[in-house]
Amino acid sequence: MILLFTLGALLGVAASVILWQRETIYFIMNPDRIQVKSAGEIQEALYSGEAGGIRRLPDGGLEYSLLGGTVALSVSFEGDSLSRMNAAFNIYSIPVKTVSGALKQAHSVLSPYLGAPEINALCAVIAWEMPGATTSNSMDYRRQFGAYTVSVGGSLVSGDARVTVERSSP
């Protein structure tokens, strides 16, 4: 009887989590459905958010920093779409101590570009696949997500890393 009650309680909790995180689960199961926001939405979010020292580039792109200057980003647009984003940082200087802290920082950096369920799904997929693209000295990860290719590379010795998100040719 206690076993059935425990099993029922676990199934109830699992069902609640699935309902609560159904969009994230959908994007984990279908990472090609992850969509980046429009250029207008991205720019509006950047100018109203916590991005520091936004500078417009001659080509219409933007440069800015986040997380107290530890992450430097540059963004370029083509029409109403993100064309490319580059993020450079040192993994050892990012102020993260826990997994939930890392997810919070990911939301801070990615919220102008993606919705919350998509950020959670992207983090889950990359976290699952990244160990296969990591050696004791370096990381070299590349994956297609919808219309974009995400590349993560860098040195685990120095901690210098670069993330590139680039729109694939139509």
Side-chain angles (χ1 to χ4, degrees), residues 21 23-28 31 33-38 41-42 45 82 103-124 148:
Q21 293 292 327
E23 288 181 275
T24 298
I25 293 168
Y26 172 80
F27 287 120
I28 289 171
R33 303 281 178 151
I34 293 174
Q35 293 187 1
V36 174
K37 294 177 183 177
S38 71
E41 289 176 291
I42 293 169
L82 174 72
L103 191 55
K104 182 179 177 187
Q105 299 294 21
H107 276 272
S108 174
V109 173
L110 297 174
S111 63
Y113 305 95
L114 301 168
E118 293 162 310
I119 294 170
N120 290 339
L122 184 68
C123 290
Y148 292 89

Side-chain angles (χ1 to χ4, degrees), residues 45-60:
L46 288 174
Y47 282 113
S48 67
E50 57 189 60
I54 297 175
R55 188 171 70 100
R56 186 160 296 276
L57 300 172
D59 66 359

Side-chain angles (χ1 to χ4, degrees), residues 140-155:
D140 186 18
Y141 174 81
R142 186 175 175 88
R143 174 108 160 43
Q144 187 84 23
F145 290 97
Y148 292 89
T149 301
V150 175
S151 302
V152 180
S155 168

Side-chain angles (χ1 to χ4, degrees), residues 60-96:
L62 303 171
E63 282 185 336
Y64 63 100
S65 63
L66 287 173
L67 305 178
T70 58
V71 179
L73 294 106
S74 65
V75 182
S76 58
F77 304 99
E78 187 175 304
D80 197 37
S81 297
L82 174 72
S83 174
R84 184 179 179 94
M85 180 194 66
N86 291 312
F89 55 96
N90 185 287
I91 57 177
Y92 302 123
S93 66
I94 301 287
V96 173

